Amino acid sequence: MSLIRIFREINSGIISALLMIIYSITCVSLVFNNLLIEYIPLAIFLSLIGCVIMSVVATLGSPIHSNVIGTQDAIAIIVALSVSDLMRHWHDYSPETMLITVLMLIVTMTVFQGIITYLIGHFRLGKIIEYVPFPVLAGFLG
């Protein structure tokens, strides 16, 4: 390996890590607001640990070693909407109970997304995305 290639890989790793940190902080601040604002440092720590675990699993388990894995903003928006609905209806509960509920919601959604992603890869269903109309896909991403 040449020295220039090593520097390119180190630079891309640093940029990926910075993006992972920024996405994690942004998504955590979106989800943990109002009553749970005091738990933001814990949530950022857990989010970064999760990103590191995802990166290691993706690097070791994928034939493509240049994957960039991180927090997904679309799922964070869904979790934030769910959490805001929980806050509206469960305002009598303690912040600790709400924290545990929100963390279990995140874990459940993460496991569900992992299972679906594994099944899509296992049964080679990646081409199914071609049947989704482009305006629908662009609207979801937008």
Side-chain angles (χ1 to χ4, degrees):
M1 255 165 102
S2 69
L3 193 58
I4 294 175
R5 185 171 179 196
I6 291 172
F7 282 134
R8 284 184 184 162
E9 290 182 8
I10 290 172
N11 284 338
S12 64
I14 290 171
I15 291 170
S16 296
L18 288 175
L19 284 174
M20 186 184 309
I21 291 168
I22 291 169
Y23 271 6
S24 293
I25 292 172
T26 304
C27 292
V28 163
S29 64
L30 183 67
V31 173
F32 286 81
N33 55 14
N34 295 336
L35 297 175
L36 298 175
I37 201 160
E38 64 189 69
Y39 298 109
I40 283 182
L42 173 67
I44 290 172
F45 174 74
L46 293 175
S47 178
L48 291 176
I49 293 295
C51 288
V52 168
I53 291 171
M54 285 189 301
S55 296
V56 168
V57 168
T59 301
L60 297 177
S62 175
I64 303 169
H65 294 291
S66 61
N67 288 332
V68 177
I69 303 290
T71 306
Q72 294 294 314
D73 52 353
I75 300 219
I77 292 170
I78 295 170
V79 172
L81 289 172
S82 301
V83 167
S84 68
D85 191 48
L86 283 174
M87 295 283 182
R88 193 171 3 165
H89 296 295
W90 290 10
H91 51 77
D92 294 336
Y93 291 98
S94 68
E96 292 83 16
T97 305
M98 291 300 294
L99 173 69
I100 293 171
T101 305
V102 169
L103 289 178
M104 288 310 298
L105 175 69
I106 293 170
V107 167
T108 304
M109 290 183 76
T110 302
V111 168
F112 181 71
Q113 181 186 6
I115 290 170
I116 295 297
T117 305
Y118 173 77
L119 291 175
I120 287 172
H122 181 72
F123 292 113
R124 306 222 183 261
L125 298 174
K127 293 261 183 195
I128 204 166
I129 196 70
E130 293 175 1
Y131 297 110
V132 177
F134 181 73
V136 173
L137 186 63
F140 175 73
L141 292 176

